[in-house]
Amino acid sequence: MDNNNLEQITFGGGCFWCVESCFNMLKGVQSAISGYSGGHKDNPTYEEVCTGETGHAEVVQITYDPAVISYEQLMDVFFFLHDPTQLNRQGNDIGTQYRSVIYYKDEAEKAKAEQAIKTSQESGRWQGTYVTELTKFDIFWPAEQYHQGYYNENPTQPYCSAVVGPKIQKFKKHFGELGMLNQA
């Protein structure tokens, strides 16, 4: 990858363990890092974010090469991995920290995000009204080191076995057929 042409996007779609592990499998993604964004507390901890009182969402910051994978393809994966019609939750994960949110850096990126939401809605993949927030990006706080690559390090942990693992298998089947996964 040409590091001079890399771009970043930050978004939240529920538990960051699911989102991060899938995005790290995509061709063209240099890194997917779990973290926090959108709140008022500097350098928040996982325990603080879990209270719902920091205003932060669990997010993933993706660094990618747009010559290999497009913003639109990343958005297609984003909307595949979570239900954008669930307000402040994904399945049994409930709270504002699990909200569906796309952080944009400028008006051009905001317009691309709005188009991605429209395209996903029109696809009919999810029934209901989308509640995905579009929020101006401010700062990204990386999560604690033990959250990075969490599923790969803890695949038999009960939440990983019940929630993350099945989501990854569905993701691999769908996006592997489209040729978007690394062959690692």
Side-chain angles (χ1 to χ4, degrees), residues 26-41:
L26 291 171
K27 290 179 187 174
V29 170
Q30 183 187 54
S31 67
I33 300 173
S34 293
Y36 316 107
S37 197
H40 53 80
K41 170 94 172 66

Side-chain angles (χ1 to χ4, degrees), residues 64-160:
Y64 68 100
D65 183 344
V68 179
I69 189 166
S70 70
Y71 180 92
E72 291 76 17
Q73 288 172 309
L74 293 170
M75 285 292 102
D76 188 41
V77 173
F78 171 70
F79 286 117
F80 180 87
L81 290 176
H82 81 292
D83 182 346
T85 68
Q86 291 190 347
L87 182 61
N88 297 329
R89 72 177 297 161
Q90 286 298 304
N92 291 328
D93 294 330
I94 300 171
T96 58
Q97 67 270 28
Y98 299 113
R99 66 188 177 270
S100 177
V101 58
I102 302 169
Y103 294 96
Y104 62 90
K105 291 189 173 77
D106 55 35
E107 290 304 310
E109 195 170 88
K110 181 180 181 184
K112 289 195 313 189
E114 289 170 339
Q115 182 58 50
I117 291 170
K118 182 179 178 194
T119 298
S120 183
Q121 286 175 315
E122 290 173 351
S123 77
R125 181 181 292 153
W126 300 103
Q127 299 302 308
T129 302
Y130 277 42
V131 295
T132 302
E133 294 176 13
L134 280 176
T135 303
K136 179 84 169 141
F137 180 79
D138 182 28
I139 192 166
F140 171 78
W141 300 98
E144 296 81 352
Q145 187 58 41
Y146 73 91
H147 287 296
Q148 310 306 328
Y150 189 86
Y151 176 77
N152 291 339
E153 298 296 322
N154 303 280
T156 60
Q157 188 261 12
Y159 183 89
C160 289

